[in-house]
Amino acid sequence: MKYIFVTGGVVSSLGKGLTAASLGTLLENRGLKVALQKFDPYLNVDPGTMSPYQHGEVYVLNDGAETDLDLGHYERFTNTKLTRFNNLTSGQVYQTVLDKERRGEYLGKTVQVIPHVTDEIQKRILELGQKTGADVVITEIGGTTGDIEGLPFLEAIREFTLDVGMSNAIFVHVTYVPFIKAAGELKTKPTQQSVAKLREIGIAPHILICRCEQPLNKELRQKMSLFCNVPYEAVIEEKDVEHSIYEVPLMLQRERVDDLVCRLLQLEVPSADMSHWQDIIRKLIAPQHQVRIGVVGKYIGLNDAYKSVFESVSHGGVANDCGVQIERVDAEDIEKNGAAATLKGLSGILVPGGFGERGIEGKIAAAGYAREHGIPYLGLCLGMQIATIEFARSVLKLEGAGSTEFEPTTPYPVIALLDEQKKVTQKGGTMRLGSQPCRLVEGSRAAELYGTSLVHERHRHRYEFNNLFREQYEAAGFSFSGTSPDGKLVELIELKEHPFYMASQFHPEFQSKPSAPHPLFRGFIAASLVHQSRR
């Protein structure tokens, strides 16, 4: 088994996750089985209790694990199936080590970072390889080289390479080469310092991935090769892409990164055929059509908060050979200025998930505007609950209808806490999480889009539609087109007389890929395209 460790330096948010995912794409298309994992140095057990402003979206896996958003890149870029073993935090490591100490498994030894913490980290690398049977395991180390909390992870992978042999493991270091506008040139010193810091720890990178705004010339590559002790051909340009993150694999292929990796790891495999990927890029760069989609959220100022949603919307565009211009709409702006002034001219409206009461009335107004004006609407998780609240108030005339999450004393609790959640006191990892079955109603738009009657979708919620109001909704033309197999939990709703008004309690964005757009996003963009052309 071969191992690739991806580290980062200079600053955070360099794109280590995208680089690791892109490398996985290239190796998969060479016929190799790839497994990817992310190590995060923070002490939280998982990102489930962290604010999207702090950490970006929480990406949920089939087994219910709440993980880092980079795992979304892994699943979108490759065919690998991820589980909780693909994400590890310092919190999980220390929790495991302390539990073992309490059980007496260390037999009276003094428990230390080295070897006990580093051994636990190495164990996770080996476990993933054994569970997946992968040819290559790609491990991304979160944070920035030099951060004190990341040192145990770097020490662990340094020790790991000694055990598996230098021909079976390589280090890929992603760094930043800034362009100083006043000087009119790129500067290599931050990269030199970052590599020097890594070498102090005992790790010498085999490949240097250089994030930059301007192209690297021969002189700069030679300079970094000399001062970073990396071969010239291993100094790789990773320039900011113009159109889409899905260009990154093709960019790295042009830089012959996959050839270099295979040579270093002594892998004799054919070249990657990326023709299907090139077709995706063509549809993203030069689509036949164009639509404007408004995403109405409360964390709209941070791109990573709705990462999977934005990507899935673009996948729906790929499926329809349609470019998507995403308009980020702050729900509170709708509350201040009104839905008509804020949403006018959109081809479609999407309301994603979220927590807390801030911006709720703006989202309700957005759902109502879409319903009344025949604009395609797609609601996700909270977006479904919003749609049901709006319908209750405007159509069923249930004044004050709402969710007990925001209004515990609402006279019409059309959204209420799940029975299984009523005795839950802890926050982390206690929601209804992971893949759950959903049975679709025959003849519904949902069944038509999916092409099947039973699907499995990922969840992350505590509140659910209140079945006490079900008959009232159905009598008014509100269709419950998807439920749990026992019929008790509403999973999918739609309006029969509307061009496209659908919302799901689950998160379809967690299973969409550029090569396999999710049916709901494909249908949403198709309907938005029709609405655009009619208008």
Side-chain angles (χ1 to χ4, degrees):
M1 195 170 293
K2 307 293 183 179
Y3 301 90
I4 301 172
F5 297 102
V6 180
T7 59
V10 185
V11 293
S12 59
S13 302
L14 275 179
K16 296 188 301 296
L18 280 172
T19 300
S22 298
L23 186 54
T25 303
L26 293 171
L27 295 179
E28 265 197 355
N29 282 279
R30 281 176 168 259
L32 294 166
K33 185 175 182 180
V34 176
L36 295 103
Q37 64 184 170
K38 172 78 180 287
F39 289 168
D40 279 305
Y42 51 73
L43 286 173
N44 302 69
V45 173
D46 58 48
T49 57
M50 297 168 71
S51 165
Y53 283 120
Q54 288 265 323
H55 189 265
E57 76 172 3
V58 176
Y59 189 80
V60 180
L61 306 180
N62 276 342
D63 64 359
E66 295 175 292
T67 68
D68 183 81
L69 62 83
D70 278 321
L71 274 75
H73 294 316
Y74 301 166
E75 286 203 328
R76 286 188 286 270
F77 277 68
T78 70
N79 295 314
T80 183
K81 295 296 183 183
L82 305 181
T83 68
R84 61 185 67 253
F85 283 96
N86 296 81
N87 196 197
L88 181 68
T89 69
S90 288
Q92 292 172 18
V93 174
Y94 285 112
Q95 187 177 62
T96 301
V97 169
L98 292 174
D99 285 346
K100 285 184 176 181
E101 187 273 335
R102 292 290 84 186
R103 293 194 298 267
E105 292 186 26
Y106 295 117
L107 300 176
K109 294 179 182 177
T110 301
V111 180
Q112 297 175 290
V113 173
I114 302 173
H116 302 103
V117 170
T118 53
D119 281 354
E120 201 62 42
I121 295 168
Q122 292 179 65
K123 180 183 175 184
R124 180 60 73 92
I125 303 171
L126 289 171
E127 280 183 346
L128 180 65
Q130 292 165 357
K131 287 178 180 294
T132 60
D135 301 306
V136 181
V137 175
I138 302 175
T139 303
E140 175 195 349
I141 310 299
T144 307
T145 299
D147 292 347
I148 190 168
E149 61 265 28
L151 291 176
F153 289 97
L154 294 175
E155 171 60 22
I157 62 175
R158 184 195 69 80
E159 295 173 10
F160 187 86
T161 56
L162 297 177
D163 293 335
V164 300
M166 299 304 289
S167 62
N168 294 318
I170 62 171
F171 297 105
V172 176
H173 191 56
V174 183
T175 184
Y176 182 49
V177 183
F179 177 75
I180 307 301
K181 190 174 182 180
E185 60 181 345
L186 293 164
K187 292 294 184 180
T188 66
K189 189 63 71 177
T191 295
Q192 294 176 43
Q193 294 292 328
S194 177
V195 172
K197 192 69 179 175
L198 199 60
R199 290 169 69 183
E200 282 179 17
I201 298 167
I203 295 173
H206 298 84
I207 299 174
L208 204 57
I209 306 286
C210 303
R211 280 296 308 275
C212 50
E213 299 174 31
Q214 304 290 333
L216 298 178
N217 58 34
K218 184 178 180 180
E219 181 184 354
L220 284 170
R221 293 192 193 224
Q222 288 176 332
K223 187 175 182 180
M224 284 187 281
S225 171
L226 177 64
F227 287 102
C228 298
N229 198 33
V230 175
Y232 176 82
E233 65 271 18
V235 179
I236 306 300
E237 175 187 293
E238 193 175 57
K239 189 170 171 286
D240 292 352
V241 293
E242 292 184 30
H243 303 283
S244 168
I245 59 173
Y246 301 111
E247 296 176 66
V248 177
L250 299 178
M251 178 196 301
L252 294 181
Q253 187 182 42
R254 287 194 296 270
E255 290 281 304
R256 306 182 70 84
V257 173
D258 51 329
D259 290 338
L260 182 57
V261 166
C262 290
R263 188 164 71 249
L264 288 169
L265 292 176
Q266 301 175 11
L267 292 166
E268 295 184 8
V269 288
S271 298
D273 179 6
M274 298 295 288
S275 56
H276 66 294
W277 207 262
Q278 290 168 342
D279 185 53
I280 291 170
I281 299 302
R282 199 280 302 162
K283 291 177 180 177
L284 286 167
I285 294 176
Q288 298 295 310
H289 313 284
Q290 194 79 25
V291 293
R292 286 177 64 225
I293 301 297
V295 176
V296 181
K298 59 187 292 183
Y299 314 113
I300 216 70
L302 182 67
N303 184 49
D304 284 349
Y306 299 113
K307 190 67 178 175
S308 292
V309 173
F310 293 152
E311 293 306 316
S312 298
V313 169
S314 74
H315 302 164
V318 169
N320 291 278
D321 203 351
C322 177
V324 181
Q325 180 185 340
I326 296 177
E327 300 289 342
R328 302 177 188 184
V329 182
D330 192 316
E332 291 182 286
D333 287 342
I334 299 177
E335 294 175 356
K336 296 173 187 174
N337 306 317
T342 313
L343 304 173
K344 187 178 180 180
L346 294 173
S347 313
I349 295 171
L350 187 152
V351 176
F355 297 89
E357 63 181 330
R358 182 173 63 84
I360 289 299
E361 293 303 320
K363 292 183 179 184
I364 291 172
Y369 185 80
R371 181 183 58 78
E372 293 170 357
H373 292 81
I375 302 170
Y377 175 86
L378 181 61
L380 311 175
C381 195
L382 177 62
M384 188 206 86
Q385 298 174 4
I386 290 296
T388 59
I389 292 170
E390 192 281 326
F391 193 87
R393 293 179 182 179
S394 302
V395 180
L396 302 181
K397 304 303 180 183
L398 301 178
E399 187 176 347
S403 167
T404 55
E405 179 183 3
F406 320 120
E407 305 169 69
T409 59
T410 174
Y412 302 105
V414 294
I415 302 296
L417 192 65
L418 284 161
D419 289 340
E420 64 201 55
Q421 291 287 319
K422 290 178 179 177
K423 295 182 180 180
V424 173
T425 56
Q426 289 190 324
K427 296 293 185 185
T430 57
M431 285 186 270
R432 185 174 184 237
L433 293 165
S435 181
Q436 306 285 346
C438 171
R439 189 166 298 283
L440 306 177
V441 174
E442 186 177 346
S444 64
R445 180 180 281 117
E448 179 186 346
L449 288 173
Y450 278 99
T452 184
S453 61
L454 183 67
V455 296
H456 290 78
E457 295 283 3
R458 300 179 190 179
H459 295 68
R460 185 174 186 254
H461 66 107
R462 297 185 192 278
Y463 292 80
E464 185 69 65
F465 177 80
N466 189 341
N467 285 320
L468 293 176
F469 298 89
R470 199 155 168 174
E471 289 185 7
Q472 286 178 264
Y473 274 85
E474 289 178 323
F478 196 90
S479 174
F480 300 99
S481 55
T483 66
S484 56
D486 60 9
K488 293 181 179 179
L489 299 179
V490 172
E491 299 280 26
L492 199 58
I493 64 96
E494 57 186 70
L495 293 181
K496 297 176 182 178
E497 304 304 320
H498 193 282
F500 187 99
Y501 195 96
M502 300 186 70
S504 64
Q505 184 59 73
F506 50 78
H507 289 268
E509 69 270 25
F510 292 149
Q511 295 202 90
S512 186
K513 299 173 184 280
S515 57
H518 192 282
L520 292 185
F521 286 95
R522 185 181 68 237
F524 174 57
I525 298 301
S528 299
L529 186 58
V530 171
H531 178 76
Q532 173 93 347
S533 62
R534 286 177 178 171
R535 192 183 62 197

